Amino acid sequence: MESSSEVQRGSQKMSAIGLIMNQLRRKTSFTERRQKSGSFFWPGESSERRKGAEIKESDDADAKATDPGTDPTTSMDMEITSVVGWGRVKQFLEKLGKKPDSQVLSLSHCDLTATDIVELATLLPFLTQLEVVDLSWNDLVGGSLKALTFKLQHVGKLSLLRLCGCRLTAQDLEALGNGLEAVPLLELLDLSWNAGIGKANLHCLTSRFLPGCNMRELRLVDCQLTDADMTALGRALPVLTNLKHLDLSCNKITAEGIKEMSSSLHASHGLKTLKLHMCGLEEDALSSLGDVLKFIPSLEGLDVSGNKAARGGLARVAKSLALLTHLSCLDIHLCGLTDHDADALVEVLPSLSALTELNISSNKALGDRLQALLPTLPLANMRRLLLNNCGLSTASYQALGSAMSSLVLLESLNLSWNKSVGGHLKLLLGALLSMCKLQELRLSSCDLTTEDVLHLASAAKCGALSNVKQLDLSYNGGVGDTGWAGLLAEAGGLKSLEQLDVSLRPSTPTPASPWIPNLLEALPTLPSLTHLALQHWVLRQDERDKLDNITEKKKKGFLLECDKS
């Protein structure tokens, strides 16, 4: 059985029955399948006649729009056509449950079929102001994209196109490539989670990139790219002179593949962000990556996280990392870093004076080395420090506490799954009193005590948490009722709070009655709160009713995660 992640990422494997059903669905549009009101045509007309009539109407509108004549009658006809055309757009979108917008077309997860794509294509002449198109997660779009790209000349202002998880084929890529000339302002192209793009098919698109095109961001996450695809991408880089962000995450990339890309990467010397998350990079691939980085000294963000096979290979890329003097974000979480890697990191960090974000989470070997790493960081510039599940030792945690006073711009701190925090939270909170910049604080599964949470309440009362938007205190079953009640009593000091999570582990359901009154009293004083997680707390029916009554009065979109009574 396929995993849910494989299905989500657009796996091309389908059963024989699934293929037959999809062919049947392709012949029936979304609007026909959910017909509730009259269609654009009489019921007896065939789909071919409908398609022909729509295309003829669209072509007539195009001819009128380009006619140089100045006949007032013609102008009036054009205005009428425009009004009628917009009415068709509204009707099409409303049947999909969407509101019409002349600049944004967002139809992700709409179960679109090939017939819908043909119908949408006939509407593009009436959407000349369109800037954003998102057709993601409509897996029946694959194989029918040509009908849409043939009409791209009508949306010349398009700047963002997303086609994630659409089961795109080589023919779709070729059609898209042929249509790129019609959208010269396109800046972002996201084709992630389309397995058909890889398997040596990427050249169908990249070979049609135009010199000097405006493309600034290209996302190809989980597209099953091969070495041949990396070669095709490398050949396109000299054309993509404006490219700033490249995301190749979740593709199995070999050292040879990186070499193929690096051969032309010097042409993208303006690249700002490179993401290679979970690419199965091994030590030799890191060596090749080091050679790549030499060509992009302007790089500001590098993500090589989730590459466990590179364990012990950080030293191979360390010298090149030191050249990235503009690097502001470094993500190396879940890389199985060793003591040798930690030593290499200590040597590199002093050169990264522009660093503002560091994610070294889920590297437990760093738990004893943090006291050596912290002095090498530009602490006064740091905005995000993610240290969750690092196995912080007591000495490392104390070193962090001492460094907190220097982290004056810190906005996000994640210490979840570090047991050394429990019973010692006051060590960190003292420095917050003079900062008040923190927006995200995550302390999930930290063995917090009642006293820890009361210290948190005191910090809130003093205004030290006034900018906090996300507070995660989940999986801390050692906190008593007094702690939760005390924190909620100081809800006024959490005026910016948007997300609060105090869930328990599934194995430890506990009655919430002692502090629920404090929560009910606090909720109206938290105007920005949109997400409250209370999972595995036991609520009486009357308590749940009161909670529902208050949350229903919150603005639309409020999310309450709570077990059913």
Side-chain angles (χ1 to χ4, degrees):
M1 181 178 293
E2 293 180 10
S3 68
S4 59
S5 62
E6 289 174 334
V7 174
Q8 182 185 25
R9 293 174 177 173
S11 171
Q12 301 297 315
K13 298 178 181 177
M14 302 178 65
S15 65
I17 295 177
L19 286 171
I20 294 172
M21 293 302 296
N22 274 345
Q23 289 300 319
L24 294 174
R25 292 175 65 207
R26 282 184 179 278
K27 298 179 181 179
T28 307
S29 70
F30 180 96
T31 53
E32 289 172 318
R33 292 197 304 276
R34 300 189 182 183
Q35 195 77 19
K36 293 183 179 180
S37 59
S39 66
F40 301 142
F41 300 89
W42 294 107
E45 292 182 317
S46 67
S47 60
E48 290 79 8
R49 184 177 175 186
R50 295 182 187 185
K51 176 181 175 183
E54 289 173 343
I55 294 176
K56 183 178 183 302
E57 180 180 351
S58 174
D59 290 341
D60 289 345
D62 295 346
K64 292 177 182 179
T66 56
D67 189 350
T70 57
D71 186 347
T73 304
T74 302
S75 298
M76 185 177 298
D77 289 343
M78 289 174 61
E79 292 179 5
I80 293 174
T81 301
S82 179
V83 172
V84 173
W86 182 245
R88 288 181 55 203
V89 171
K90 291 177 64 177
Q91 189 173 5
F92 178 77
L93 293 176
E94 287 171 358
K95 287 183 179 181
L96 295 173
K98 301 290 184 177
K99 293 182 179 180
D101 188 315
S102 62
Q103 295 181 313
V104 178
L105 181 65
S106 180
L107 298 178
S108 62
H109 298 280
C110 279
D111 198 23
L112 298 179
T113 67
T115 305
D116 294 317
I117 294 300
V118 171
E119 184 175 351
L120 177 60
T122 67
L123 301 178
L124 290 187
F126 312 112
L127 291 167
T128 57
Q129 302 302 310
L130 208 57
E131 297 180 5
V132 176
V133 172
D134 187 352
L135 303 180
S136 300
W137 306 111
N138 291 290
D139 59 7
L140 295 181
V141 168
S144 62
L145 199 60
K146 185 176 181 179
L148 191 67
T149 58
F150 186 69
K151 295 283 187 177
L152 285 182
Q153 70 270 19
H154 298 292
V155 288
K157 294 184 178 181
L158 191 67
S159 62
L160 186 154
L161 178 59
R162 284 196 174 97
L163 295 165
C164 305
C166 287
R167 296 185 184 270
L168 298 184
T169 65
Q171 291 74 23
D172 293 320
L173 288 183
E174 186 172 356
L176 179 58
N178 290 334
L180 289 178
E181 187 175 2
V183 283
L185 301 182
L186 190 66
E187 294 186 358
L188 188 153
L189 180 60
D190 192 349
L191 303 177
S192 300
W193 294 289
N194 284 290
I197 287 179
K199 303 176 182 178
N201 290 326
L202 187 60
H203 71 94
C204 296
L205 172 67
T206 57
S207 62
R208 289 168 173 78
F209 285 149
L210 300 175
C213 69
N214 201 46
M215 189 86 64
R216 298 175 62 85
E217 186 167 354
L218 180 61
R219 300 179 185 174
L220 300 171
V221 178
D222 196 6
C223 288
Q224 296 190 19
L225 301 183
T226 64
D227 288 350
D229 296 310
M230 296 297 289
T231 299
L233 178 60
R235 290 173 179 171
L237 288 176
V239 177
L240 302 176
T241 54
N242 292 310
L243 191 66
K244 302 299 180 185
H245 309 283
L246 179 60
D247 192 347
L248 304 176
S249 298
C250 302
N251 291 286
K252 178 65 175 179
I253 299 179
T254 65
E256 187 62 29
I258 290 182
K259 288 178 182 178
E260 293 292 345
M261 180 180 68
S262 65
S263 61
S264 300
L265 201 60
H266 63 277
S268 297
H269 52 78
L271 197 67
K272 300 294 184 183
T273 304
L274 178 60
K275 294 187 177 182
L276 298 170
H277 169 68
M278 289 186 67
C279 285
L281 300 181
E282 299 178 353
E283 287 192 43
D284 56 345
L286 281 185
S287 296
S288 298
L289 178 61
D291 295 333
V292 169
L293 297 179
K294 296 176 183 178
F295 296 118
I296 42 179
S298 62
L299 201 66
E300 296 177 359
L302 177 62
D303 182 355
V304 291
S305 60
N307 289 289
K308 293 183 178 181
R311 177 183 177 87
L314 187 62
R316 296 196 178 193
V317 74
K319 292 183 179 180
S320 297
L321 276 178
L323 301 176
L324 304 180
T325 56
H326 298 284
L327 194 69
S328 60
C329 177
L330 178 60
D331 189 346
I332 50 176
H333 80 271
L334 197 60
C335 282
L337 298 184
T338 64
D339 290 341
H340 185 55
D341 292 321
D343 292 337
L345 195 58
V346 169
E347 294 180 6
V348 169
L349 288 177
S351 301
L352 306 182
S353 57
L355 200 65
T356 61
E357 301 182 23
L358 178 63
N359 188 349
I360 55 176
S361 301
S362 300
N363 289 294
K364 293 192 175 183
L366 298 182
D368 291 326
R369 308 300 300 276
L370 190 63
Q371 59 267 44
L373 287 173
L374 285 172
T376 66
L377 288 172
L379 297 177
N381 297 333
M382 297 300 297
R383 296 182 180 274
R384 290 175 56 82
L385 189 57
L386 308 183
L387 305 171
N388 45 298
N389 196 28
C390 277
L392 293 182
S393 65
T394 301
S396 292
Y397 179 72
Q398 291 175 344
L400 177 61
S402 301
M404 285 297 294
S405 59
S406 299
L407 294 166
V408 293
L409 297 179
L410 195 65
E411 297 176 357
S412 177
L413 178 63
N414 191 339
L415 295 176
S416 295
W417 303 92
N418 285 293
K419 307 303 182 183
S420 59
V421 178
H424 306 96
L425 187 60
K426 184 178 180 180
L427 184 64
L428 294 180
L429 297 177
L432 292 178
L433 298 178
S434 60
M435 294 164 53
C436 299
K437 300 285 186 181
L438 204 63
Q439 297 182 21
E440 179 182 12
L441 180 59
R442 298 192 178 276
L443 300 168
S444 176
S445 191
C446 283
D447 278 357
L448 297 185
T449 66
T450 299
E451 187 177 0
D452 288 326
V453 177
L454 289 176
H455 285 308
L456 200 60
S458 298
K461 183 177 182 179
C462 296
L465 305 179
S466 60
N467 290 316
V468 171
K469 297 179 180 180
Q470 300 175 356
L471 181 59
D472 185 356
L473 303 175
S474 60
Y475 289 10
N476 285 291
V479 178
D481 298 329
T482 304
W484 300 124
L487 177 63
L488 294 168
E490 302 300 339
L494 298 168
K495 58 184 180 181
S496 300
L497 197 62
E498 297 177 359
Q499 299 179 22
L500 175 63
D501 191 346
V502 294
S503 301
L504 296 178
R505 287 185 174 83
S507 59
T508 57
T510 305
S513 298
W515 54 269
I516 278 294
N518 300 80
L519 174 64
L520 297 176
E521 185 176 349
L523 285 176
T525 68
L526 298 171
S528 300
L529 192 67
T530 59
H531 184 186
L532 175 63
L534 301 171
Q535 291 181 326
H536 313 305
W537 284 101
V538 180
L539 301 179
R540 299 196 310 263
Q541 187 59 51
D542 63 314
E543 294 170 340
R544 179 60 188 264
D545 291 342
K546 291 178 181 178
L547 185 59
D548 289 340
N549 185 46
I550 292 177
T551 55
E552 284 175 2
K553 295 179 181 178
K554 290 277 187 181
K555 60 185 179 181
K556 186 178 180 180
F558 184 87
L559 176 61
L560 173 64
E561 293 187 61
C562 185
D563 294 349
K564 294 182 180 180
S565 301

